């Protein structure tokens, strides 16, 4: 079972407050230390995902590898990040959060650090594609959601929002720093920095992170009763696969997976991976392009919160259609906005794209819950996997298109057309009969 991913703001809001006693306790609940460690870990994971887009030009210049080959490593990384996510919670249920996250950080450190000695392209595919992809996948959505559900009864919405924002904050922090390193000192110091960052987080995870409040004799934050530690669930992976086979027999699953694959293609696969080299093709300094990409991470926090508010008030299908249509239109204008310097229209594009970056998540979650009930969390895990597969394909194909045509223009136009198709697919999704009767 993919525990901790179910989106239940109403339940969180209605949960009982922590009981009061005759004296006021000033001791901070252990849950907040666990949340802080999780926040720092996710910020570090954002650094691991920020670097590939900065490596395309340096690796091409040093080794002569095609952008398609380098994009293939990014593609493997993104695909494994998504495919690993549905199984991550099952691993945490079986072996514990602390062990899984510590092992994931060690794998990331090994993969990133080993790139310093690589001499052939297959080593890039192995290190940055396979190892870093598996490591970051184990710290995806399941990690933050499992921590939130195990350690908090009240304030779940707040904690989930903070941990979700950690990824954007990490991108904001690390992108300018890593781009400065790549520009001034080469790509190797940047890769070593990522490896050291992963190693630095491991002691905090091992010493401060605990799998369950019962491990330290505490109740979850806000709970009125002690919650015993659940037994390991060895069959969780089988249920994850079983729900996938059941969902694939419905047309709605393929529409949700298709739209979210286009979402990943037009964000992580396209803009996050290829925006910096595309801007550099037009004469913009790498540091300036990376800083613009980092600003997207700032505005996607605002966009996600606003989208959640809209999802509570408007039909999710229509919201998705609007988000994808506007995203597609903006991509069609991007080729004429790229220039050697940053000008107001480009800033406007960055702000808009940041607001729209993960705005698709709340309505997609809502549609999964409407359609699949108690299995919705697992279904969303697989829909998220399709997001990363879409990102992986465009990360690779974008590099191939740049090698073939000498520019990224065709990639922007094709992605704009895909977003238009996603808008239409969102409108085709049928609401459950019970909801149609209430409309």
């Amino acid at each position: 079972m993919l525990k901790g991913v179910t989106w239940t703001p109403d339940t969180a809001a209605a949960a009982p407050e922590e009981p009061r006693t005759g004296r006021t306790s000033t001791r901070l609940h252990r849950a907040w230390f666990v949340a802080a460690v999780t926040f720092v870990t996710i910020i570090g994971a954002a650094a691991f995902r920020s670097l590939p887009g900065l490596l395309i030009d340096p690796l091409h210049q040093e080794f002569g590898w095609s952008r398609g080959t380098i994009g293939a490593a990014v593609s493997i990384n993104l695909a494994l990040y998504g495919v690993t996510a549905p199984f991550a919670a099952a691993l945490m249920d079986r072996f514990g959060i602390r062990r899984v996250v510590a092992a994931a950080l060690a794998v990331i450190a090994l993969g990133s650090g080993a790139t310093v000695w690589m001499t052939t392209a297959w080593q890039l595919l192995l290190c940055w594609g396979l190892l870093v992809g598996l490591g970051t996948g184990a710290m995806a959505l399941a990690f933050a959601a499992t921590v939130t559900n195990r350690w908090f009864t009240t304030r779940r919405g707040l904690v989930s929002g903070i941990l979700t924002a950690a990824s954007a904050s990490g991108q904001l922090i690390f992108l300018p720093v890593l781009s400065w390193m790549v520009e001034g000192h080469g790509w190797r110091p940047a890769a070593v920095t990522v490896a050291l960052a992963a190693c630095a987080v491991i002691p905090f995870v091992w010493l401060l992170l605990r799998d369950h409040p019962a491990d330290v004799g505490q109740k979850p934050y806000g709970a009125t009763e002690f919650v015993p530690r659940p037994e390991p669930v060895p069959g969780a992976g089988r249920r994850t696969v079983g729900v996938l086979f059941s969902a694939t027999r419905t047309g709605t699953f393929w529409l949700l997976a298709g739209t979210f694959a286009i979402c990943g293609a037009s964000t992580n696969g396209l803009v996050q991976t290829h925006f910096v080299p595309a801007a550099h093709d037009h004469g913009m300094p790498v540091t300036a392009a990376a800083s613009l990409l980092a600003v997207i991470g700032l505005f996607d926090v605002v966009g996600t919160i606003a989208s959640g508010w809209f999802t509570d008030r408007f039909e999710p299908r229509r919201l998705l259609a609007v988000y994808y249509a506007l995203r597609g239109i903006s991509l069609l204008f991007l080729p004429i906005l790229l220039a050697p310097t940053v000008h107001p229209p480009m800033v406007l594009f960055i702000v808009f794209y940041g607001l729209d970056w993960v705005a698709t998540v709340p309505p997609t979650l809502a549609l999964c819950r409407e359609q699949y009930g108690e299995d919705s969390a697992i279904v969303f895990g697989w829909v998220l996997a399709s997001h990363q597969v879409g990102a992986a394909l465009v990360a690779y194909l974008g590099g191939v298109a740049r090698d073939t045509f000498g520019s990224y223009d065709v990639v922007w136009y094709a992605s704009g057309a895909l977003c238009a198709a996603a808008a239409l697919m969102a409108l085709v999704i049928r609401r459950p009969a019970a909801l149609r009767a209430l409309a």
Side-chain angles (χ1 to χ4, degrees):
M1 178 179 179
L2 190 56
K3 292 188 175 181
V5 190
T6 305
W7 186 47
T8 54
D10 295 335
T11 303
E17 293 289 338
E18 193 166 5
R20 298 181 182 274
T21 59
R23 60 183 181 181
T24 302
S25 174
T26 58
R27 185 178 180 182
L28 191 64
H29 196 284
R30 180 65 175 267
W32 294 108
F33 288 101
V34 174
V37 174
T38 305
F39 183 87
V40 172
T41 304
I42 293 173
I43 282 183
F48 315 145
R49 297 197 306 274
S50 297
L51 188 57
L54 304 176
L55 297 181
I56 293 178
D57 283 339
L59 293 179
H60 173 70
Q61 293 170 6
E62 178 171 339
F63 295 104
W65 300 335
S66 70
R67 290 175 175 84
T69 298
I70 301 168
V74 180
S75 177
I76 294 171
N77 179 294
L78 292 171
L80 287 176
Y81 178 84
V83 173
T84 304
F87 296 95
L91 290 172
M92 291 176 186
D93 286 339
R94 182 68 180 87
F95 300 106
I97 299 173
R98 184 172 59 160
R99 290 179 180 176
V100 172
V101 174
L105 288 166
V107 169
I108 291 168
L110 174 64
S112 180
T115 59
V116 173
W117 294 284
M118 66 183 179
T119 56
T120 59
W122 71 264
Q123 293 168 338
L124 176 67
L125 299 176
L126 172 66
C127 294
W128 205 265
L130 179 64
L131 295 179
V132 177
L134 288 173
T136 54
M139 296 189 300
L141 177 65
F143 175 39
T146 302
V147 167
T148 302
N149 267 25
R150 287 190 181 183
W151 280 89
F152 292 85
T153 299
T154 58
R155 304 289 187 264
R156 281 180 177 173
L158 172 64
V159 175
S160 296
I162 292 172
L163 296 181
T164 301
S167 180
S169 301
Q171 180 174 303
L172 183 66
I173 292 169
F174 281 101
L175 259 177
V177 175
L178 293 175
S179 65
W180 171 79
M181 283 188 173
V182 172
E183 186 83 355
H185 305 282
W187 62 270
R188 286 182 176 82
V192 171
T193 299
V194 168
L196 292 177
C199 290
V201 177
I202 293 176
F204 291 96
V205 168
W206 196 256
L207 295 174
L208 299 178
L209 191 63
R210 291 294 180 269
D211 296 331
H212 197 276
D215 293 348
V216 292
Q218 289 190 337
K219 298 175 293 185
Y221 181 83
T224 57
E225 297 180 356
F226 183 82
V227 179
R229 179 188 173 96
E231 293 297 322
V233 186
R238 286 194 297 273
R239 187 189 174 203
T240 302
V241 176
V243 169
L244 170 65
F245 282 112
S246 176
T248 54
R249 292 196 289 267
T250 66
T252 297
F253 173 81
W254 294 107
L255 290 170
L256 288 171
T259 56
F260 222 44
I262 292 172
C263 178
S266 56
T267 53
N268 301 80
L270 178 62
V271 174
Q272 184 169 313
T273 303
H274 294 292
F275 177 81
V276 172
H280 190 56
D281 283 348
H282 287 75
M284 185 181 293
V286 171
T287 50
S291 297
L292 288 175
L293 196 56
V295 173
I296 288 178
L298 175 65
F299 281 94
D300 82 357
V301 176
V302 179
T304 306
I305 295 172
S307 180
W309 188 87
F310 288 137
T311 302
D312 290 334
R313 290 159 176 79
F314 301 101
E315 189 179 339
R317 298 180 308 150
R318 295 177 181 174
L319 286 177
L320 281 180
V322 170
Y323 294 157
Y324 285 121
L326 292 176
R327 183 183 297 182
I329 292 170
S330 68
L331 285 172
L332 296 178
F333 282 98
L334 183 58
I336 65 174
L337 298 179
L338 292 169
T341 59
V342 178
H343 47 85
M346 173 57 77
V347 174
L348 181 62
F349 169 85
I350 292 297
V351 171
F352 173 80
Y353 218 79
L355 293 172
D356 196 18
W357 186 270
V358 287
T360 55
V361 173
T364 302
L365 273 168
L367 289 170
C368 285
R369 188 169 66 171
E370 281 183 6
Q371 301 283 341
Y372 300 102
E374 64 180 15
D375 289 333
S376 61
I378 300 176
V379 172
F380 179 74
W382 287 111
V383 170
L384 178 67
S386 73
H387 180 281
Q388 292 306 116
V389 171
L393 284 172
V394 172
Y396 170 68
L397 294 175
V400 172
R402 172 62 177 81
D403 291 333
T404 303
F405 300 106
S407 78
Y408 284 99
D409 288 358
V410 67
V411 182
W412 307 125
Y413 296 139
S415 297
L418 283 175
C419 289
L424 294 175
M425 291 165 65
L427 292 175
V428 171
I429 296 172
R430 292 177 59 84
R431 303 186 74 189
L435 290 178
R436 291 200 304 270
L438 293 173

